Amino acid sequence: MEDIAGIYLNDRVVAASEARVSVLDHGFLYGDGVYETMRVYSGVVFMMEEHISRLRNSASLIELKLPKSPRQIKLAIFETLEACGHKDAYLRITVSRGEGPIGLDPELCSRPTFLVFADKLKPSPRDYYEKGMALALVNTRRNLREALDPQIKSLNFLNNIMAKIEAKKAGAHEALMLNHAGHLAEGTTSNIFFVAGGALCTPSDACGILRGITRDVVLSIARRLDMKVVEGEFKEEDIFGASEAFITSTIMEVVPVARLIGRTGARDFFHGGGDVTKMFMAEYRKEAASYVENTRAAGPSIWGFTE
Ligand code: PDD
């Protein structure tokens, strides 16, 4: 396996050969931990504050005390990026409950494991943007909020992995999951949007989704452009009857849905995305570019060094 370019483990940058986590780490044994994935554009971490605050929220929802303050997390991010050396990168922060004897009790672990790694961004296939992705509506339901709230970006990803397995078997790139009530929820690592009746529609928080940071950017672009936005509860028929659909995620940005495979048949959408989708693909990229420019212009204070 290739080495990851930049790795920061617990309190310092380490060589890939030194980056080892205990076999008794509860992240490994029980999926007990949280994470965030960020995208770095020209050396600037897009929406860094928002990702750090979501990490803090996920940690607090599982009663995990982060071993670092937001400022220390930022410093770890910058050290990792420096070691990584790539200006266009993906960066992941993982915090697990830490090493401890067998047993579920979080108090068995005295120190969380804190890991940041970054590597050259591997762009998604061009076909995704030029043609679109195929989505399969799967039988695996999104976790019940009252069981394991999808707002927690946890290391416990089997729900999404089961959905991914189903989607692959159906010949799709990504899954579309319903919640327990049969309402649309989200993909395995993405949020879903569609255009119907002149409105931009997306499942609401109440449907049991991860509130995507890309989703929030898209919603703010839509509101700025005075588009009608509906965050609500939708059925499978709603997306099958939509004129356009797209998915969003930090790494993939905005990707058109070219084909939706359902239980009884498939529906094709515009090749390469309809007008609204194309507009969001372009506006999102502009948003990222201006974020990079503004962050640079504001200088290091916004990067958290002078807080
Ligand atoms: N995935 N829903 C789920 C279940 C996710 O895992 C993700 C993110 C999203 C989109 O969120 P955002 O726009 O903040 O990336 C929605 C990341 C990319 C991952 O798993 O690495």
Side-chain angles (χ1 to χ4, degrees):
M1 221 188 93
E2 266 175 59
D3 283 349
I4 292 171
I7 309 176
Y8 183 108
L9 183 58
N10 294 322
D11 52 8
R12 64 193 173 94
V13 168
V14 295
S17 58
E18 272 181 77
R20 296 282 178 265
V21 175
S22 163
V23 294
L24 287 174
D25 194 289
H26 282 209
F28 174 68
L29 293 176
Y30 304 117
D32 187 355
V34 293
Y35 82 100
E36 274 298 316
T37 302
M38 305 176 204
R39 181 163 167 171
V40 185
Y41 295 83
S42 312
V44 173
V45 185
F46 186 51
M47 307 296 277
M48 183 171 64
E49 298 289 345
E50 288 75 3
H51 281 285
I52 292 175
S53 91
R54 190 169 66 184
L55 182 75
R56 281 158 59 85
N57 186 50
S58 295
S60 112
L61 289 168
I62 68 162
E63 301 198 8
L64 169 65
K65 191 176 175 322
L66 287 180
K68 291 192 190 303
S69 69
R71 178 185 148 79
Q72 288 169 326
I73 294 174
K74 285 177 203 163
L75 288 171
I77 289 175
F78 296 123
E79 281 190 44
T80 310
L81 283 177
E82 211 167 72
C84 162
H86 296 287
K87 296 276 179 228
D88 293 298
Y90 76 86
L91 182 138
R92 176 172 158 133
I93 302 184
T94 309
V95 189
S96 79
R97 194 76 66 179
E99 187 183 0
I102 287 283
L104 301 190
D105 185 353
E107 285 179 13
L108 292 168
C109 307
S110 56
R111 189 182 73 152
T113 302
F114 177 85
L115 170 70
V116 187
F117 60 69
D119 208 342
K120 187 174 192 275
L121 183 82
K122 288 176 201 73
S124 306
R126 278 176 65 170
D127 264 11
Y128 284 8
Y129 304 94
E130 289 170 3
K131 294 184 183 153
M133 282 174 92
L135 249 60
L137 192 80
V138 294
N139 290 319
T140 304
R141 297 286 169 114
R142 189 67 175 114
N143 278 335
L144 192 63
R145 280 169 85 198
E146 293 77 6
L148 178 58
D149 192 343
Q151 286 297 353
I152 306 168
K153 203 161 166 48
S154 86
L155 299 184
N156 216 301
F157 236 55
L158 266 180
N159 179 214
N160 313 45
I161 291 166
M162 298 311 288
K164 182 80 180 183
I165 291 171
E166 259 194 81
K168 280 186 78 179
K169 281 190 186 153
H173 303 108
E174 169 65 308
L176 176 57
M177 284 181 274
L178 302 174
N179 67 12
H180 68 288
H183 296 130
L184 299 176
E186 62 180 338
T188 62
T189 57
S190 61
N191 290 112
I192 182 82
F193 284 85
F194 59 94
V195 182
L200 181 69
C201 305
T202 194
S204 66
D205 282 355
C207 297
I209 58 165
L210 178 77
R211 196 185 169 97
I213 289 168
T214 319
R215 175 184 179 277
D216 277 346
V217 172
V218 164
L219 288 174
S220 72
I221 294 170
R223 293 193 172 110
R224 191 181 71 220
L225 298 176
D226 266 340
M227 264 190 89
K228 188 173 172 217
V229 173
V230 185
E231 286 183 75
E233 285 181 342
F234 301 102
K235 290 259 170 68
E236 130 184 27
E237 307 84 88
D238 296 319
I239 190 164
F240 271 91
S243 56
E244 301 181 28
F246 60 86
I247 61 166
T248 60
S249 93
T250 292
I251 299 298
M252 293 189 292
E253 305 176 323
V254 176
V255 186
V257 175
R259 191 172 172 77
L260 183 59
I261 304 165
R263 284 181 275 231
T264 51
R267 154 88 210 269
D268 288 316
F269 290 94
F270 292 102
H271 200 78
D275 291 343
V276 178
T277 304
K278 283 195 183 123
M279 188 273 290
F280 278 108
M281 289 165 77
E283 287 297 321
Y284 186 86
R285 286 190 174 150
K286 275 197 228 158
E287 193 76 24
S290 70
Y291 182 97
V292 170
E293 214 174 285
N294 294 340
T295 306
R296 288 242 180 82
S301 67
I302 201 171
W303 297 1
F305 289 118
T306 58
E307 272 174 17

